[in-house]
Amino acid sequence: LPERLRAALPWALTPAQDRVVAEIVADLGRAQPMNRLLQGDVGSGKTVVAALAACTTIQSGWQCALMAPTELLAEQHFRKLVQWLEPLGLTTAWLTGSRRGKGRKAMVEAVADGSAQLVVGTQAMIQDGVQFARLGLAIVDEQHRFGVAQRLALRAGDGDVEPHLLMMSATPIPRTLAMTAYADLDVSTIDTLPPGRTPIVTKVFADSRRPEVLARIRDEVAAGKQV
């Protein structure tokens, strides 16, 4: 599956992405649960690394869950992952707080019977009533936005086996600080952007300059750019 996904991508992975994929796959092959933080700038390609980790997990007969802090972010991941993984024959479930009624019931059943190999959503996937058939890998995006209890709840998995845990963050954490704050955590860093990526400009404005910010946003969007 990982090879088929790579072959289907319209671009090649960067050396940095290849390196962190190798680190994650090595962890997935071990008997003890992975506990790894994947960090990299916005646009550095963390999602495709997560997708390759999911493929490695799924081809071994396990389920994978990806939890994001907001519905908007979860939906972005869902659209991208469906686009990549559906052509490979993989089924992806979608679980968020706004999904109710028959749609939610069908998704919860697919998670429970294992027919949904990948589950994407918000903390709705750790609510009562959601039971994984065979969770092998839990991926948490923007991990600093979740409480410890929420991450542990996802890591509880199906109750029999503790799944591997991969946390992703675009918040740069210097190595020494990471070692202090996350003594039990391995850290993988994507330290280069894919070729052709426009550098992202970050600016800080005082709240009193709000009209200037809105004008700048209007100009950038009018020029066909994103903000």
Side-chain angles (χ1 to χ4, degrees):
L1 276 175
E3 282 69 32
R4 285 170 60 202
L5 175 56
R6 281 175 181 262
L9 293 171
W11 29 261
L13 265 63
T14 64
Q17 285 173 311
D18 278 328
R19 172 173 44 77
V20 300
V21 167
E23 289 169 356
I24 292 164
V25 169
D27 277 359
L28 292 175
R30 295 194 176 102
Q32 68 268 32
M34 170 173 70
N35 196 26
R36 185 171 287 277
L37 174 69
L38 171 62
Q39 63 177 24
D41 251 341
V42 173
S44 63
K46 295 187 295 295
T47 308
V48 74
V49 169
L52 287 163
C55 284
T56 303
T57 304
I58 292 164
Q59 76 172 0
S60 299
W62 296 84
Q63 286 172 301
C64 177
L66 191 156
M67 185 169 74
T70 65
E71 286 209 16
L72 186 65
L73 190 56
E75 187 178 350
Q76 286 178 340
H77 282 309
F78 180 71
R79 286 174 185 269
K80 200 176 279 186
L81 290 166
V82 165
Q83 179 188 335
W84 289 337
L85 303 181
E86 221 168 47
L88 304 181
L90 302 184
T91 303
T92 306
W94 168 242
L95 277 176
T96 63
S98 65
R99 180 138 219 181
R100 303 190 186 283
K102 288 182 181 175
R104 175 181 165 79
K105 187 170 182 285
M107 290 292 172
V108 170
E109 286 172 358
V111 174
D113 66 22
S115 55
Q117 295 138 311
L118 174 64
V119 186
V120 180
T122 59
Q123 55 264 37
M125 68 171 67
I126 54 173
Q127 309 291 317
D128 287 343
V130 179
Q131 185 71 34
F132 287 86
R134 205 160 180 255
L135 183 61
L137 172 64
I139 302 171
V140 180
D141 193 20
E142 297 293 339
Q143 60 91 25
H144 57 280
R145 301 266 297 273
F146 289 102
V148 173
Q150 288 172 313
R151 295 203 297 268
L152 288 176
L154 183 58
R155 195 165 184 177
D158 56 16
D160 295 328
V161 177
E162 186 174 330
H164 294 290
L165 181 62
L166 177 65
M167 293 174 282
M168 302 196 295
S169 180
T171 307
I173 304 171
R175 184 169 173 270
T176 46
L177 180 60
M179 288 166 69
T180 307
Y182 302 114
D184 60 340
L185 199 62
D186 296 308
V187 181
S188 290
T189 305
I190 303 177
D191 49 14
T192 55
L193 287 174
R197 281 285 159 91
T198 310
I200 293 162
V201 179
T202 305
K203 298 197 174 188
V204 180
F205 291 87
D207 203 39
S208 57
R209 296 176 65 190
R210 186 182 179 89
E212 286 180 53
V213 176
L214 295 175
R216 181 69 185 271
I217 290 171
R218 270 193 295 269
D219 292 344
E220 291 290 318
V221 172
K225 297 177 182 176
Q226 289 180 304
V227 178

mmCIF file with all atom_site columns, all heavy atoms in Angstrom, residues 69-85:
data_model
loop_
_atom_site.group_PDB
_atom_site.id
_atom_site.type_symbol
_atom_site.label_atom_id
_atom_site.label_alt_id
_atom_site.label_comp_id
_atom_site.label_asym_id
_atom_site.label_entity_id
_atom_site.label_seq_id
_atom_site.pdbx_PDB_ins_code
_atom_site.Cartn_x
_atom_site.Cartn_y
_atom_site.Cartn_z
_atom_site.occupancy
_atom_site.B_iso_or_equiv
_atom_site.pdbx_formal_charge
_atom_site.auth_seq_id
_atom_site.auth_comp_id
_atom_site.auth_asym_id
_atom_site.auth_atom_id
_atom_site.pdbx_PDB_model_num
ATOM 1   N N   . PRO A 1 69 ? -8.210  18.980 16.095 1.00 0.00 ? 69 PRO A N   1
ATOM 2   C CA  . PRO A 1 69 ? -8.925  19.737 17.127 1.00 0.00 ? 69 PRO A CA  1
ATOM 3   C C   . PRO A 1 69 ? -10.190 20.447 16.662 1.00 0.00 ? 69 PRO A C   1
ATOM 4   O O   . PRO A 1 69 ? -11.047 20.772 17.476 1.00 0.00 ? 69 PRO A O   1
ATOM 5   C CB  . PRO A 1 69 ? -7.878  20.752 17.611 1.00 0.00 ? 69 PRO A CB  1
ATOM 6   C CG  . PRO A 1 69 ? -6.929  20.892 16.477 1.00 0.00 ? 69 PRO A CG  1
ATOM 7   C CD  . PRO A 1 69 ? -6.901  19.574 15.790 1.00 0.00 ? 69 PRO A CD  1
ATOM 8   N N   . THR A 1 70 ? -10.314 20.735 15.358 1.00 0.00 ? 70 THR A N   1
ATOM 9   C CA  . THR A 1 70 ? -11.507 21.426 14.861 1.00 0.00 ? 70 THR A CA  1
ATOM 10  C C   . THR A 1 70 ? -12.094 20.678 13.671 1.00 0.00 ? 70 THR A C   1
ATOM 11  O O   . THR A 1 70 ? -11.385 19.943 12.985 1.00 0.00 ? 70 THR A O   1
ATOM 12  C CB  . THR A 1 70 ? -11.174 22.864 14.406 1.00 0.00 ? 70 THR A CB  1
ATOM 13  O OG1 . THR A 1 70 ? -10.285 22.788 13.270 1.00 0.00 ? 70 THR A OG1 1
ATOM 14  C CG2 . THR A 1 70 ? -10.506 23.665 15.514 1.00 0.00 ? 70 THR A CG2 1
ATOM 15  N N   . GLU A 1 71 ? -13.396 20.890 13.423 1.00 0.00 ? 71 GLU A N   1
ATOM 16  C CA  . GLU A 1 71 ? -14.045 20.235 12.278 1.00 0.00 ? 71 GLU A CA  1
ATOM 17  C C   . GLU A 1 71 ? -13.419 20.686 10.969 1.00 0.00 ? 71 GLU A C   1
ATOM 18  O O   . GLU A 1 71 ? -13.280 19.903 10.036 1.00 0.00 ? 71 GLU A O   1
ATOM 19  C CB  . GLU A 1 71 ? -15.550 20.534 12.279 1.00 0.00 ? 71 GLU A CB  1
ATOM 20  C CG  . GLU A 1 71 ? -16.302 19.771 13.348 1.00 0.00 ? 71 GLU A CG  1
ATOM 21  C CD  . GLU A 1 71 ? -17.756 19.485 12.971 1.00 0.00 ? 71 GLU A CD  1
ATOM 22  O OE1 . GLU A 1 71 ? -18.106 19.599 11.782 1.00 0.00 ? 71 GLU A OE1 1
ATOM 23  O OE2 . GLU A 1 71 ? -18.521 19.136 13.876 1.00 0.00 ? 71 GLU A OE2 1
ATOM 24  N N   . LEU A 1 72 ? -13.036 21.972 10.891 1.00 0.00 ? 72 LEU A N   1
ATOM 25  C CA  . LEU A 1 72 ? -12.460 22.504 9.658  1.00 0.00 ? 72 LEU A CA  1
ATOM 26  C C   . LEU A 1 72 ? -11.160 21.788 9.311  1.00 0.00 ? 72 LEU A C   1
ATOM 27  O O   . LEU A 1 72 ? -10.958 21.345 8.171  1.00 0.00 ? 72 LEU A O   1
ATOM 28  C CB  . LEU A 1 72 ? -12.221 24.011 9.805  1.00 0.00 ? 72 LEU A CB  1
ATOM 29  C CG  . LEU A 1 72 ? -11.743 24.736 8.542  1.00 0.00 ? 72 LEU A CG  1
ATOM 30  C CD1 . LEU A 1 72 ? -12.798 24.695 7.456  1.00 0.00 ? 72 LEU A CD1 1
ATOM 31  C CD2 . LEU A 1 72 ? -11.393 26.181 8.867  1.00 0.00 ? 72 LEU A CD2 1
ATOM 32  N N   . LEU A 1 73 ? -10.287 21.641 10.305 1.00 0.00 ? 73 LEU A N   1
ATOM 33  C CA  . LEU A 1 73 ? -9.002  20.966 10.084 1.00 0.00 ? 73 LEU A CA  1
ATOM 34  C C   . LEU A 1 73 ? -9.226  19.476 9.789  1.00 0.00 ? 73 LEU A C   1
ATOM 35  O O   . LEU A 1 73 ? -8.583  18.907 8.899  1.00 0.00 ? 73 LEU A O   1
ATOM 36  C CB  . LEU A 1 73 ? -8.101  21.143 11.303 1.00 0.00 ? 73 LEU A CB  1
ATOM 37  C CG  . LEU A 1 73 ? -6.641  20.703 11.170 1.00 0.00 ? 73 LEU A CG  1
ATOM 38  C CD1 . LEU A 1 73 ? -5.966  21.391 9.994  1.00 0.00 ? 73 LEU A CD1 1
ATOM 39  C CD2 . LEU A 1 73 ? -5.876  20.991 12.449 1.00 0.00 ? 73 LEU A CD2 1
ATOM 40  N N   . ALA A 1 74 ? -10.154 18.871 10.526 1.00 0.00 ? 74 ALA A N   1
ATOM 41  C CA  . ALA A 1 74 ? -10.462 17.455 10.293 1.00 0.00 ? 74 ALA A CA  1
ATOM 42  C C   . ALA A 1 74 ? -10.986 17.254 8.876  1.00 0.00 ? 74 ALA A C   1
ATOM 43  O O   . ALA A 1 74 ? -10.628 16.287 8.198  1.00 0.00 ? 74 ALA A O   1
ATOM 44  C CB  . ALA A 1 74 ? -11.493 16.975 11.312 1.00 0.00 ? 74 ALA A CB  1
ATOM 45  N N   . GLU A 1 75 ? -11.818 18.189 8.410  1.00 0.00 ? 75 GLU A N   1
ATOM 46  C CA  . GLU A 1 75 ? -12.384 18.059 7.056  1.00 0.00 ? 75 GLU A CA  1
ATOM 47  C C   . GLU A 1 75 ? -11.308 18.209 5.987  1.00 0.00 ? 75 GLU A C   1
ATOM 48  O O   . GLU A 1 75 ? -11.312 17.502 4.972  1.00 0.00 ? 75 GLU A O   1
ATOM 49  C CB  . GLU A 1 75 ? -13.482 19.110 6.840  1.00 0.00 ? 75 GLU A CB  1
ATOM 50  C CG  . GLU A 1 75 ? -14.219 18.912 5.524  1.00 0.00 ? 75 GLU A CG  1
ATOM 51  C CD  . GLU A 1 75 ? -15.346 19.903 5.308  1.00 0.00 ? 75 GLU A CD  1
ATOM 52  O OE1 . GLU A 1 75 ? -15.706 20.636 6.246  1.00 0.00 ? 75 GLU A OE1 1
ATOM 53  O OE2 . GLU A 1 75 ? -15.869 19.948 4.179  1.00 0.00 ? 75 GLU A OE2 1
ATOM 54  N N   . GLN A 1 76 ? -10.342 19.119 6.230  1.00 0.00 ? 76 GLN A N   1
ATOM 55  C CA  . GLN A 1 76 ? -9.224  19.274 5.281  1.00 0.00 ? 76 GLN A CA  1
ATOM 56  C C   . GLN A 1 76 ? -8.457  17.954 5.156  1.00 0.00 ? 76 GLN A C   1
ATOM 57  O O   . GLN A 1 76 ? -8.132  17.513 4.043  1.00 0.00 ? 76 GLN A O   1
ATOM 58  C CB  . GLN A 1 76 ? -8.280  20.379 5.757  1.00 0.00 ? 76 GLN A CB  1
ATOM 59  C CG  . GLN A 1 76 ? -8.827  21.782 5.566  1.00 0.00 ? 76 GLN A CG  1
ATOM 60  C CD  . GLN A 1 76 ? -7.886  22.853 6.100  1.00 0.00 ? 76 GLN A CD  1
ATOM 61  O OE1 . GLN A 1 76 ? -7.020  22.561 6.932  1.00 0.00 ? 76 GLN A OE1 1
ATOM 62  N NE2 . GLN A 1 76 ? -8.039  24.078 5.662  1.00 0.00 ? 76 GLN A NE2 1
ATOM 63  N N   . HIS A 1 77 ? -8.163  17.345 6.296  1.00 0.00 ? 77 HIS A N   1
ATOM 64  C CA  . HIS A 1 77 ? -7.460  16.055 6.281  1.00 0.00 ? 77 HIS A CA  1
ATOM 65  C C   . HIS A 1 77 ? -8.307  14.994 5.576  1.00 0.00 ? 77 HIS A C   1
ATOM 66  O O   . HIS A 1 77 ? -7.796  14.216 4.772  1.00 0.00 ? 77 HIS A O   1
ATOM 67  C CB  . HIS A 1 77 ? -7.167  15.597 7.713  1.00 0.00 ? 77 HIS A CB  1
ATOM 68  C CG  . HIS A 1 77 ? -6.009  16.289 8.341  1.00 0.00 ? 77 HIS A CG  1
ATOM 69  N ND1 . HIS A 1 77 ? -4.774  16.389 7.747  1.00 0.00 ? 77 HIS A ND1 1
ATOM 70  C CD2 . HIS A 1 77 ? -5.885  16.924 9.537  1.00 0.00 ? 77 HIS A CD2 1
ATOM 71  C CE1 . HIS A 1 77 ? -3.944  17.051 8.537  1.00 0.00 ? 77 HIS A CE1 1
ATOM 72  N NE2 . HIS A 1 77 ? -4.592  17.388 9.631  1.00 0.00 ? 77 HIS A NE2 1
ATOM 73  N N   . PHE A 1 78 ? -9.596  14.966 5.898  1.00 0.00 ? 78 PHE A N   1
ATOM 74  C CA  . PHE A 1 78 ? -10.497 13.954 5.345  1.00 0.00 ? 78 PHE A CA  1
ATOM 75  C C   . PHE A 1 78 ? -10.521 14.027 3.812  1.00 0.00 ? 78 PHE A C   1
ATOM 76  O O   . PHE A 1 78 ? -10.366 13.016 3.129  1.00 0.00 ? 78 PHE A O   1
ATOM 77  C CB  . PHE A 1 78 ? -11.907 14.149 5.919  1.00 0.00 ? 78 PHE A CB  1
ATOM 78  C CG  . PHE A 1 78 ? -12.921 13.157 5.406  1.00 0.00 ? 78 PHE A CG  1
ATOM 79  C CD1 . PHE A 1 78 ? -12.871 11.832 5.806  1.00 0.00 ? 78 PHE A CD1 1
ATOM 80  C CD2 . PHE A 1 78 ? -13.920 13.554 4.532  1.00 0.00 ? 78 PHE A CD2 1
ATOM 81  C CE1 . PHE A 1 78 ? -13.801 10.912 5.331  1.00 0.00 ? 78 PHE A CE1 1
ATOM 82  C CE2 . PHE A 1 78 ? -14.853 12.641 4.063  1.00 0.00 ? 78 PHE A CE2 1
ATOM 83  C CZ  . PHE A 1 78 ? -14.794 11.322 4.465  1.00 0.00 ? 78 PHE A CZ  1
ATOM 84  N N   . ARG A 1 79 ? -10.707 15.242 3.275  1.00 0.00 ? 79 ARG A N   1
ATOM 85  C CA  . ARG A 1 79 ? -10.774 15.412 1.811  1.00 0.00 ? 79 ARG A CA  1
ATOM 86  C C   . ARG A 1 79 ? -9.485  14.938 1.140  1.00 0.00 ? 79 ARG A C   1
ATOM 87  O O   . ARG A 1 79 ? -9.500  14.255 0.124  1.00 0.00 ? 79 ARG A O   1
ATOM 88  C CB  . ARG A 1 79 ? -11.017 16.881 1.466  1.00 0.00 ? 79 ARG A CB  1
ATOM 89  C CG  . ARG A 1 79 ? -12.446 17.354 1.748  1.00 0.00 ? 79 ARG A CG  1
ATOM 90  C CD  . ARG A 1 79 ? -12.554 18.859 1.528  1.00 0.00 ? 79 ARG A CD  1
ATOM 91  N NE  . ARG A 1 79 ? -13.856 19.355 1.896  1.00 0.00 ? 79 ARG A NE  1
ATOM 92  C CZ  . ARG A 1 79 ? -14.887 19.452 1.056  1.00 0.00 ? 79 ARG A CZ  1
ATOM 93  N NH1 . ARG A 1 79 ? -14.755 19.058 -0.201 1.00 0.00 ? 79 ARG A NH1 1
ATOM 94  N NH2 . ARG A 1 79 ? -16.051 19.926 1.449  1.00 0.00 ? 79 ARG A NH2 1
ATOM 95  N N   . LYS A 1 80 ? -8.362  15.319 1.737  1.00 0.00 ? 80 LYS A N   1
ATOM 96  C CA  . LYS A 1 80 ? -7.065  14.961 1.150  1.00 0.00 ? 80 LYS A CA  1
ATOM 97  C C   . LYS A 1 80 ? -6.836  13.456 1.223  1.00 0.00 ? 80 LYS A C   1
ATOM 98  O O   . LYS A 1 80 ? -6.402  12.829 0.245  1.00 0.00 ? 80 LYS A O   1
ATOM 99  C CB  . LYS A 1 80 ? -5.956  15.718 1.900  1.00 0.00 ? 80 LYS A CB  1
ATOM 100 C CG  . LYS A 1 80 ? -4.663  15.834 1.123  1.00 0.00 ? 80 LYS A CG  1
ATOM 101 C CD  . LYS A 1 80 ? -3.654  16.685 1.879  1.00 0.00 ? 80 LYS A CD  1
ATOM 102 C CE  . LYS A 1 80 ? -3.880  18.158 1.707  1.00 0.00 ? 80 LYS A CE  1
ATOM 103 N NZ  . LYS A 1 80 ? -2.788  18.960 2.334  1.00 0.00 ? 80 LYS A NZ  1
ATOM 104 N N   . LEU A 1 81 ? -7.130  12.856 2.375  1.00 0.00 ? 81 LEU A N   1
ATOM 105 C CA  . LEU A 1 81 ? -6.869  11.424 2.564  1.00 0.00 ? 81 LEU A CA  1
ATOM 106 C C   . LEU A 1 81 ? -7.789  10.570 1.701  1.00 0.00 ? 81 LEU A C   1
ATOM 107 O O   . LEU A 1 81 ? -7.359  9.556  1.146  1.00 0.00 ? 81 LEU A O   1
ATOM 108 C CB  . LEU A 1 81 ? -7.008  11.055 4.041  1.00 0.00 ? 81 LEU A CB  1
ATOM 109 C CG  . LEU A 1 81 ? -5.890  11.626 4.937  1.00 0.00 ? 81 LEU A CG  1
ATOM 110 C CD1 . LEU A 1 81 ? -6.263  11.531 6.402  1.00 0.00 ? 81 LEU A CD1 1
ATOM 111 C CD2 . LEU A 1 81 ? -4.566  10.910 4.682  1.00 0.00 ? 81 LEU A CD2 1
ATOM 112 N N   . VAL A 1 82 ? -9.053  10.974 1.570  1.00 0.00 ? 82 VAL A N   1
ATOM 113 C CA  . VAL A 1 82 ? -9.977  10.238 0.698  1.00 0.00 ? 82 VAL A CA  1
ATOM 114 C C   . VAL A 1 82 ? -9.464  10.281 -0.752 1.00 0.00 ? 82 VAL A C   1
ATOM 115 O O   . VAL A 1 82 ? -9.472  9.277  -1.468 1.00 0.00 ? 82 VAL A O   1
ATOM 116 C CB  . VAL A 1 82 ? -11.412 10.815 0.803  1.00 0.00 ? 82 VAL A CB  1
ATOM 117 C CG1 . VAL A 1 82 ? -12.281 10.326 -0.344 1.00 0.00 ? 82 VAL A CG1 1
ATOM 118 C CG2 . VAL A 1 82 ? -12.046 10.414 2.134  1.00 0.00 ? 82 VAL A CG2 1
ATOM 119 N N   . GLN A 1 83 ? -9.004  11.456 -1.163 1.00 0.00 ? 83 GLN A N   1
ATOM 120 C CA  . GLN A 1 83 ? -8.473  11.633 -2.521 1.00 0.00 ? 83 GLN A CA  1
ATOM 121 C C   . GLN A 1 83 ? -7.290  10.691 -2.786 1.00 0.00 ? 83 GLN A C   1
ATOM 122 O O   . GLN A 1 83 ? -7.162  10.119 -3.869 1.00 0.00 ? 83 GLN A O   1
ATOM 123 C CB  . GLN A 1 83 ? -8.052  13.099 -2.682 1.00 0.00 ? 83 GLN A CB  1
ATOM 124 C CG  . GLN A 1 83 ? -7.450  13.457 -4.027 1.00 0.00 ? 83 GLN A CG  1
ATOM 125 C CD  . GLN A 1 83 ? -6.881  14.876 -4.002 1.00 0.00 ? 83 GLN A CD  1
ATOM 126 O OE1 . GLN A 1 83 ? -7.298  15.733 -3.225 1.00 0.00 ? 83 GLN A OE1 1
ATOM 127 N NE2 . GLN A 1 83 ? -5.895  15.128 -4.838 1.00 0.00 ? 83 GLN A NE2 1
ATOM 128 N N   . TRP A 1 84 ? -6.444  10.508 -1.774 1.00 0.00 ? 84 TRP A N   1
ATOM 129 C CA  . TRP A 1 84 ? -5.263  9.649  -1.937 1.00 0.00 ? 84 TRP A CA  1
ATOM 130 C C   . TRP A 1 84 ? -5.577  8.168  -1.747 1.00 0.00 ? 84 TRP A C   1
ATOM 131 O O   . TRP A 1 84 ? -5.052  7.320  -2.456 1.00 0.00 ? 84 TRP A O   1
ATOM 132 C CB  . TRP A 1 84 ? -4.189  10.037 -0.911 1.00 0.00 ? 84 TRP A CB  1
ATOM 133 C CG  . TRP A 1 84 ? -3.520  11.341 -1.165 1.00 0.00 ? 84 TRP A CG  1
ATOM 134 C CD1 . TRP A 1 84 ? -3.417  12.005 -2.357 1.00 0.00 ? 84 TRP A CD1 1
ATOM 135 C CD2 . TRP A 1 84 ? -2.834  12.165 -0.201 1.00 0.00 ? 84 TRP A CD2 1
ATOM 136 N NE1 . TRP A 1 84 ? -2.725  13.177 -2.186 1.00 0.00 ? 84 TRP A NE1 1
ATOM 137 C CE2 . TRP A 1 84 ? -2.357  13.301 -0.888 1.00 0.00 ? 84 TRP A CE2 1
ATOM 138 C CE3 . TRP A 1 84 ? -2.590  12.039 1.159  1.00 0.00 ? 84 TRP A CE3 1
ATOM 139 C CZ2 . TRP A 1 84 ? -1.638  14.317 -0.249 1.00 0.00 ? 84 TRP A CZ2 1
ATOM 140 C CZ3 . TRP A 1 84 ? -1.869  13.037 1.810  1.00 0.00 ? 84 TRP A CZ3 1
ATOM 141 C CH2 . TRP A 1 84 ? -1.405  14.165 1.111  1.00 0.00 ? 84 TRP A CH2 1
ATOM 142 N N   . LEU A 1 85 ? -6.406  7.842  -0.744 1.00 0.00 ? 85 LEU A N   1
ATOM 143 C CA  . LEU A 1 85 ? -6.545  6.453  -0.312 1.00 0.00 ? 85 LEU A CA  1
ATOM 144 C C   . LEU A 1 85 ? -7.719  5.697  -0.930 1.00 0.00 ? 85 LEU A C   1
ATOM 145 O O   . LEU A 1 85 ? -7.669  4.476  -1.039 1.00 0.00 ? 85 LEU A O   1
ATOM 146 C CB  . LEU A 1 85 ? -6.647  6.386  1.223  1.00 0.00 ? 85 LEU A CB  1
ATOM 147 C CG  . LEU A 1 85 ? -5.465  7.012  1.986  1.00 0.00 ? 85 LEU A CG  1
ATOM 148 C CD1 . LEU A 1 85 ? -5.662  6.871  3.487  1.00 0.00 ? 85 LEU A CD1 1
ATOM 149 C CD2 . LEU A 1 85 ? -4.138  6.385  1.565  1.00 0.00 ? 85 LEU A CD2 1
#
